Amino acid sequence: MNERPLETSQAWDEFLKTVERRALLMARVATGFEDEAFDIVQDAMLGLVRKYRNKPVEELKPLFYRILQNRIRDWYRRQAVRRRWLSWGNMRPDNEGADYDPINNLPAPDSGNPAGLLIRDEAMKALDTALRRLPLRQQQTFLLRAWEGLTVSETALAMKCSVGTVKVQYFRALHTLREELEDHWP
Amino acid sequence: MTSQPDREQQFLESVRSSLDDAAESLDASALSRLTQARNKAMETGSKTRRQWVIWPAGAIMASAVLLLLLSPVFEHKPQPINQASLMADIEVISDSLGLEFYRDLYFYSWLSMDGRHAE
């Protein structure tokens, strides 16, 4: 085995340190719940270590975010099922068609919960609210591209979608955020 | 006057800066939970790695044992049958005295020795 366990382990630790805070905030924005966000991040870390143990550290970032996004989508699916059972089918919009994506169209979780730790000042509060209002796919695409700095193709890998979809989702998110945050960041 | 791409870039910088601030200002409890999550993941990784070391080692050991068993050192050569001993065995089995007699031969031999000592 040509693996160098100690150095590899240190490199992995360093890698996880570089992504964990952003991952936590992305999961918080997506779910609106702190505990859920922690669970999602921990699951993503475990999944990465189990599945991609032999990958070079330089290739890990998009793979980690792919797992994180999978976990977030899984969480949304579970929430969707719960909501459907609770509201007995009343949550789906009237304009539902063949292309309707229940995950993409789920309303953002209530931003008035204790997980709103992004809130530091008015601008931050507005950004937090605006991000949470975005459809999940736009929200996460925007965070991965604009904040985490993934390339379009890396974002497509993480989001399990085409490069074209990433561009469209990012553009829509950016447009919406600029409109909503115009008062704070013109 | 700033152009549209410039304004977009400024906007993105502001968003990034705010999000970075939020990430940097996570409280001690959150950081501790993240450290625990990371350690757990790393621990799981090292356990899995140890299993990967054990499996090939086991496979190598099994192959070595198999090779030894198949090697000429352990080759089974059929022993030539000793005709005399075979005939003796057949005689014992088919004898009218029965197997018990031969089983008790030691006793009879001891009895006769004992008798001689007594004389």
Side-chain angles (χ1 to χ4, degrees):
Chain A
M1 200 157 90
N2 55 8
E3 204 173 0
R4 291 169 296 177
L6 182 63
E7 288 174 37
T8 307
S9 159
Q10 282 171 349
W12 270 76
D13 195 57
E14 285 303 314
F15 167 75
L16 291 176
K17 271 184 196 167
T18 63
V19 292
E20 64 189 14
R21 293 187 187 205
R22 290 179 180 203
L24 177 67
L25 291 187
M26 285 182 195
R28 268 185 189 175
V29 169
T31 63
F33 294 99
E34 189 169 1
D35 285 342
E36 306 279 0
F38 273 112
D39 287 348
I40 286 170
V41 172
Q42 176 158 326
D43 258 16
M45 285 179 174
L46 282 169
L48 185 79
V49 174
R50 282 189 185 131
K51 202 168 178 188
Y52 297 110
R53 186 178 356 95
N54 297 321
K55 285 270 182 195
V57 173
E58 308 80 58
E59 294 176 22
L60 294 180
K61 198 187 263 191
L63 297 172
F64 172 74
Y65 282 112
R66 185 185 174 96
I67 298 173
L68 184 79
Q69 293 303 322
N70 279 340
R71 298 294 185 272
I72 290 173
R73 273 194 293 273
D74 288 347
W75 183 86
Y76 261 74
R77 281 194 190 99
R78 285 196 299 275
Q79 292 299 308
V81 171
R82 272 179 211 158
R83 285 178 200 208
R84 198 156 51 234
W85 277 96
L86 287 173
S87 60
W88 198 248
N90 290 336
M91 64 171 281
R92 301 170 101 180
D94 295 337
N95 58 353
E96 178 182 336
D99 296 331
Y100 177 72
D101 181 351
I103 293 172
N104 200 26
N105 287 280
L106 269 174
D110 178 18
S111 59
N113 65 62
L117 299 179
L118 292 179
I119 300 165
R120 293 185 67 206
D121 53 31
E122 283 305 307
M124 192 60 236
K125 184 179 178 179
L127 172 62
D128 183 44
T129 309
L131 280 170
R132 285 169 193 249
R133 274 199 207 128
L134 288 175
L136 178 67
R137 215 164 274 177
Q138 283 185 35
Q139 176 197 85
Q140 294 297 311
T141 302
F142 178 81
L143 289 172
L144 289 172
R145 286 279 294 124
W147 189 28
E148 188 48 273
L150 296 191
T151 64
V152 175
S153 53
E154 285 173 338
T155 309
L157 175 75
M159 297 297 297
K160 277 190 182 169
C161 64
S162 69
V163 165
T165 307
V166 168
K167 288 178 181 170
V168 170
Q169 300 285 333
Y170 177 75
F171 176 79
R172 286 181 183 163
L174 180 61
H175 182 74
T176 308
L177 289 174
R178 285 193 69 184
E179 268 188 3
E180 292 206 14
L181 300 169
E182 202 174 15
D183 294 342
H184 304 281
W185 297 312
Chain B
M1 188 181 155
T2 49
S3 65
Q4 178 72 12
D6 285 344
R7 274 189 283 151
E8 188 176 300
Q9 207 51 44
Q10 281 173 7
F11 172 79
L12 286 172
E13 283 303 323
S14 304
V15 169
R16 276 187 211 116
S17 164
S18 293
L19 291 168
D20 283 342
D21 284 350
E24 285 305 313
S25 60
L26 284 173
D27 61 25
S29 153
L31 293 178
S32 161
R33 285 182 77 176
L34 281 176
T35 306
Q36 281 173 22
R38 183 170 13 100
N39 289 342
K40 192 174 174 186
M42 294 298 295
E43 197 181 314
T44 306
S46 63
K47 272 182 193 165
T48 318
R49 189 178 295 123
R50 277 198 291 275
Q51 282 171 1
W52 275 87
V53 173
I54 290 166
W55 275 105
I60 290 166
M61 283 286 285
S63 307
V65 169
L66 195 66
L67 270 174
L68 262 174
L69 288 173
L70 295 174
S71 70
V73 177
F74 283 88
E75 196 177 342
H76 177 70
K77 289 178 183 167
Q79 297 293 316
I81 297 168
N82 185 341
Q83 294 294 327
S85 131
L86 182 66
M87 288 309 291
D89 288 350
I90 292 170
E91 269 176 36
V92 167
I93 292 164
S94 58
D95 202 301
S96 59
L97 292 168
L99 281 171
E100 285 77 16
F101 171 78
Y102 292 97
R103 207 182 298 145
D104 296 337
L105 262 181
Y106 175 75
F107 170 73
Y108 294 126
S109 139
W110 170 81
L111 197 64
S112 63
M113 294 264 293
D114 196 46
R116 275 203 296 273
H117 286 301
E119 286 167 9

